[in-house]
């Protein structure tokens, strides 16, 4: 058979180190999937939904740091990629999407399944381009790969199905993308940053995902400055472990100690974070920021100084210019506050008596304690993220992935597919909410078909829990959030996947052990308390007023029993 443009795509991806493509087959993708079948250098991961394929590719890219690829056929097929690609784009992970297109001669004629992918993908990508002929393909494909890798983001190549089938003699490239550079600020910026930090009396460090690979430098900086470290959710896996200066998170799902450490400082140093919630920043502190992306500097708060650089390289160059802080009162108070906050949270993670309700804190604590030391966790948005953030412990080998910037429902299980595809021998655990799991439930059967031993733990509380809490906190009676769920464990068994359902807290630990020890894919259906409140680190008078209005409206709406259940659940009675 003559060599096709689709063959060139697969040869180029193979040269770039790509091992698999996540997608759903379709007629406009026939050239690509047939090339994969013949060349046998790249694996086709057969998904049930393209959105799940994009999430899976994003998880692989997050964990490996390497380019990952997903694909969709023309029209609806590639449109389904968009939500997952938005998550990849906002999480800054290198992903290439191949968007197959209608026949090239039909473009612009309102043909069957016609769209304009080069316009549709523009907002969720760093680069998107339509390939108009086989000679056009090499330059576009290579540029897309370089941009995805260099920008750590999304690139989209739009290829009409007929173009993919045309012959070409162009050879695959031997060089595709540069290695990441080491970036540090100039000496004058480092001197200015050192002066600002040396003048501070009560310094707090806020650390995000940009601190990946810089654990030693970050903790040494905290030691020198006598500074507590607050971490963002995406920074948790990189800075929380083996860190005597960690005081937890701040933000809507954070700890009181993290909130106080940021609010009470006179100097705040932001390291590799674009933490979005402006109400949690201090009002009067001097603020400096270090980030590899210049566009993030001063994005959330007024800065006294912002510098561009890798966190590790910048801190290493900064440390010799700093004067150690002998006064440890501020740090000591912050650490004491953290110990109390941590103890209060841990009290909520105890098992209840037989016949009582299973509290999600207890479930998350058990999963953390019983999971492998190098387990990979994915978590759905909403309350599943809250409990993972507060109770899943990192140790430098574990990983935690979620839709933490895009906040899309239904991310956890598809991301677990990508994680397990990339790391077949590691334990992968999806902490799924019942709403998120049901939304993308079609790809649950992919675990069996693909032979992926993912463990799916469904927090079955019968509601869109975080949405319900947001309604109550805003003074609304919760509406349109209830979920009438099936027995998910029975459903799993019908699909040939091990399923266990548990409703008694006394049986939970054994159930978690069984699911985690199972050799193949497994699902744990945990029927848990619906009315569990995930309290933010600081509640305002306005929030208290609105919650009071909710209770009044609930009584007037005939929901007094719901208030009683709410009190019993959270008072543990």
């Amino acid at each position: 058979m003559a060599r096709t443009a689709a063959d060139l795509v697969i040869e180029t991806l193979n040269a770039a180190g790509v091992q698999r493509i996540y997608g759903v087959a379709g007629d406009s993708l026939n050239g690509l999937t047939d090339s994969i079948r013949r060349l046998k250098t790249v694996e086709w991961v057969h998904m049930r939904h393209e959105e799940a394929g994009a999430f899976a590719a994003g998880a692989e890219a997050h964990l490996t740091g390497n380019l990952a690829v997903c694909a969709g056929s023309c029209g609806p097929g590639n449109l389904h990629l968009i939500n997952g690609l938005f998550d990849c784009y906002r999480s800054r992970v290198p992903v290439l999407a191949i968007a197959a297109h209608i026949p090239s001669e039909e473009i612009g004629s309102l043909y069957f399944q016609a769209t304009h992918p080069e316009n549709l993908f523009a907002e969720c990508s760093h680069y998107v381009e339509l390939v108009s002929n086989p000679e056009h393909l090499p330059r576009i494909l290579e540029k897309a790969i370089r941009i995805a890798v260099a920008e750590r983001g999304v690139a989209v190549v739009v290829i009409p199905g007929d173009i993919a089938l045309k012959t070409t003699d162009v050879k695959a490239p031997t060089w595709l993308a540069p290695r990441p550079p080491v970036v540090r600020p100039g000496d004058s910026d480092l001197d200015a940053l050192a002066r600002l930090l040396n003048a501070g009396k009560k310094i707090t460090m806020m650390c995000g995902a940009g601190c990946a690979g810089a654990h030693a430098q970050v903790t040494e900086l905290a030691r020198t400055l006598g500074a507590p470290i607050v971490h963002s959710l995406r920074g948790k896996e990189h800075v929380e472990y083996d860190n005597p200066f960690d005081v937890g998170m701040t933000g809507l799902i954070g700890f009181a100690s993290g909130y106080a450490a940021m609010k009470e400082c006179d100097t705040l140093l932001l390291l590799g974070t674009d933490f979005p919630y402006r109400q949690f920043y201090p009002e009067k502190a001097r603020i400096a920021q270090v980030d590899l992306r210049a566009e993030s500097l001063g994005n959330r708060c007024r800065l006294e100084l912002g510098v561009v650089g890798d966190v590790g390289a910048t801190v290493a160059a900064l440390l010799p210019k700093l004067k150690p802080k002998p006064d440890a009162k501020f740090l000591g108070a912050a650490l004491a506050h953290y110990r109390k906050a941590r103890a209060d949270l841990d009290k909520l993670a105890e098992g209840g008596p037989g016949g009582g309700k299973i509290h999600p804190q207890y479930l998350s604590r058990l999963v953390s304690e019983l999971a492998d030391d190098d387990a990979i966790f994915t978590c759905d948005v909403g309350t599943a993220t809250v409990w993972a953030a507060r109770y899943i412990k990192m140790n430098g080998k574990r990983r935690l992935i979620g839709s933490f910037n895009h906040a899309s429902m239904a991310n956890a299980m598809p991301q677990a597919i990508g994680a397990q595809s990339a790391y077949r021998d590691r334990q992968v655990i999806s902490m799924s909410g019942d709403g998120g799991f049901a939304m993308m439930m079609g790809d649950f059967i992919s675990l069996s078909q693909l032979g992926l031993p993912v463990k799916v733990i469904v927090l079955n509380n019968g509601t869109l829990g975080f949405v319900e809490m947001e309604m109550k906190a805003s003074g609304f009676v919760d509406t349109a959030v209830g979920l009438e769920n099936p027995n998910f464990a029975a459903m799993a068994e019908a699909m040939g996947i091990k399923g266990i359902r548990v409703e008694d807290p006394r049986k939970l630990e054994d159930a978690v052990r069984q699911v985690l020890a199972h050799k193949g894919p497994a699902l744990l259906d945990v029927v848990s308390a619906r009315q569990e409140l995930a309290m933010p680190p600081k509640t305002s008078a306005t929030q208290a007023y609105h919650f009071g209005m909710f209770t009044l409206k609930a009584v007037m709406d005939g929901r007094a029993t719901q208030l009683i259940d709410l009190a019993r659940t959270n008072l543990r009675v």
Side-chain angles (χ1 to χ4, degrees):
M1 180 177 177
R3 182 170 173 272
T4 66
D7 291 341
L8 174 60
V9 171
I10 299 305
E11 291 168 6
T12 302
L13 295 180
N14 184 50
V18 172
Q19 298 181 38
R20 58 193 65 85
I21 301 174
Y22 302 89
V24 179
D27 59 348
S28 54
L29 278 173
N30 284 347
L32 192 75
T33 51
D34 188 65
S35 179
I36 291 171
R37 177 190 65 81
R38 288 184 288 102
L39 297 180
K40 295 181 172 58
T41 55
V42 175
E43 175 190 3
W44 177 262
V45 182
H46 179 185
M47 306 295 293
R48 300 302 177 104
H49 197 291
E50 292 90 351
E51 181 179 337
F55 273 119
E60 178 181 330
H62 180 107
L63 292 169
T64 65
N66 300 324
L67 182 71
V69 182
C70 57
S73 58
C74 64
N78 62 56
L79 281 174
H80 287 158
L81 294 171
I82 288 179
N83 188 53
L85 290 180
F86 257 106
D87 186 78
C88 299
Y89 176 78
R90 301 195 67 189
S91 296
R92 305 291 297 205
V93 294
V95 170
L96 171 68
I98 299 172
H101 201 8
I102 61 174
S104 56
E105 68 271 16
E106 301 292 352
I107 293 174
S109 68
L110 294 180
Y111 188 71
F112 176 67
Q113 294 189 320
T115 61
H116 288 92
E118 63 273 30
N119 298 327
L120 292 168
F121 287 95
E123 194 173 345
C124 65
S125 65
H126 293 84
Y127 178 79
V128 55
E129 192 54 76
L130 170 68
V131 175
S132 58
N133 57 69
E135 290 70 31
H136 194 211
L137 175 61
R139 180 181 296 179
I140 296 303
L141 182 58
E142 291 175 41
K143 187 176 180 67
I145 290 172
R146 277 194 284 274
I147 289 175
V149 172
E151 295 286 340
R152 295 193 62 79
V154 174
V156 182
V157 176
V158 183
I159 309 178
D162 60 305
I163 299 296
L165 291 171
K166 290 184 180 296
T167 60
T168 180
D169 295 325
V170 177
K171 293 182 180 180
T174 56
W175 179 87
L176 282 163
R179 294 182 181 274
V182 176
V183 180
R184 49 148 283 190
D187 289 339
S188 60
D189 277 343
L190 288 172
D191 289 340
L193 183 55
R195 285 194 297 272
L196 187 151
L197 295 174
N198 284 331
K201 302 297 182 184
K202 297 188 294 182
I203 302 172
T204 292
M205 294 162 51
M206 172 64 172
C207 298
C211 293
H215 185 275
Q217 296 94 324
V218 167
T219 52
E220 183 59 30
L221 179 61
R223 182 176 291 106
T224 301
L225 297 176
I229 294 178
V230 180
H231 64 262
S232 69
L233 180 51
R234 290 190 65 210
K236 175 182 170 74
E237 62 175 339
H238 305 299
V239 301
E240 179 186 66
Y241 67 95
D242 295 338
N243 185 349
F245 309 102
D246 184 63
V247 295
M249 294 171 52
T250 186
L252 298 174
I253 61 176
F255 300 179
S257 52
Y259 172 87
M262 278 185 61
K263 282 290 191 176
E264 295 171 5
C265 68
D266 63 27
T267 307
L268 176 65
L269 178 60
L270 305 173
L271 294 176
T273 181
D274 193 20
F275 179 71
Y277 302 107
R278 290 182 289 173
Q279 65 268 36
F280 291 93
Y281 285 87
E283 289 82 12
K284 298 179 180 180
R286 304 172 74 193
I287 303 177
Q289 186 174 3
V290 178
D291 204 286
L292 189 57
R293 294 184 293 138
E295 63 267 31
S296 294
L297 299 177
N299 198 28
R300 310 299 177 185
C301 58
R302 184 180 295 276
L303 297 181
E304 186 148 334
L305 178 64
V307 299
V308 176
D310 297 301
V311 170
T314 301
V315 172
L318 176 67
L319 280 168
K321 300 176 181 290
L322 298 176
K323 299 174 183 177
K325 305 283 185 182
D327 186 354
K329 290 181 181 178
F330 181 65
L331 173 60
L335 291 173
H337 192 176
Y338 172 66
R339 287 191 291 271
K340 182 181 185 305
R342 182 72 262 174
D344 290 343
L345 288 173
D346 289 343
K347 288 178 184 177
L348 299 175
E350 300 295 330
K357 297 180 178 180
I358 297 176
H359 295 283
Q361 298 96 321
Y362 178 48
L363 169 64
S364 299
R365 194 205 85 198
L366 282 177
V367 172
S368 180
E369 291 176 353
L370 298 175
D372 291 349
D373 283 345
D374 65 346
I376 299 168
F377 300 90
T378 65
C379 62
D380 272 333
V381 300
T383 55
T385 293
V386 177
W387 311 131
R390 293 181 177 179
Y391 295 99
I392 300 297
K393 292 185 178 180
M394 298 290 101
N395 58 10
K397 294 181 288 185
R398 288 178 168 182
R399 303 298 304 273
L400 176 64
I401 308 174
S403 184
F404 298 146
N405 285 352
H406 187 48
S408 170
M409 284 183 65
N411 63 285
M413 186 187 63
Q415 287 178 329
I417 290 174
Q420 195 76 83
S421 296
Y423 293 98
R424 296 279 179 151
D425 296 329
R426 289 176 67 173
Q427 189 179 68
V428 177
I429 303 169
S430 171
M431 305 289 287
S432 299
D434 48 359
F437 178 70
M439 182 178 283
M440 293 293 289
M441 198 160 54
D443 265 288
F444 180 63
I445 191 60
S446 298
L447 301 181
S448 178
Q449 181 164 333
L450 298 171
L452 299 175
V454 171
K455 314 306 182 220
V456 179
I457 298 177
V458 180
L459 187 65
N460 187 351
N461 59 3
T463 183
L464 300 176
F466 206 80
V467 178
E468 182 175 334
M469 283 189 289
E470 288 175 327
M471 288 180 176
K472 292 174 180 177
S474 298
F476 296 103
V477 175
D478 47 291
T479 304
V481 293
L483 300 172
E484 294 186 11
N485 293 323
N487 182 323
F488 290 120
M491 183 200 73
E493 290 287 341
M495 294 182 177
I497 297 175
K498 183 178 180 63
I500 298 177
R501 183 178 173 94
V502 61
E503 302 179 30
D504 186 338
R506 293 178 302 179
K507 299 179 181 179
L508 182 61
E509 181 173 347
D510 182 62
V512 172
R513 289 184 184 276
Q514 287 187 56
V515 165
L516 295 184
H518 185 65
K519 297 301 182 184
L523 179 142
L524 179 61
D525 182 3
V526 182
V527 181
S528 59
R530 171 171 177 162
Q531 300 278 1
E532 197 77 40
L533 290 176
M535 299 300 292
K538 178 71 173 180
T539 54
S540 66
T542 301
Q543 287 172 320
Y545 168 77
H546 285 151
F547 193 79
M549 289 300 296
F550 153 71
T551 61
L552 177 61
K553 291 176 183 177
V555 171
M556 295 176 66
D557 199 43
R559 300 196 194 183
T561 54
Q562 185 184 107
L563 299 181
I564 295 171
D565 183 53
L566 178 67
R568 285 177 173 171
T569 297
N570 291 278
L571 295 175
R572 301 294 198 265
V573 295

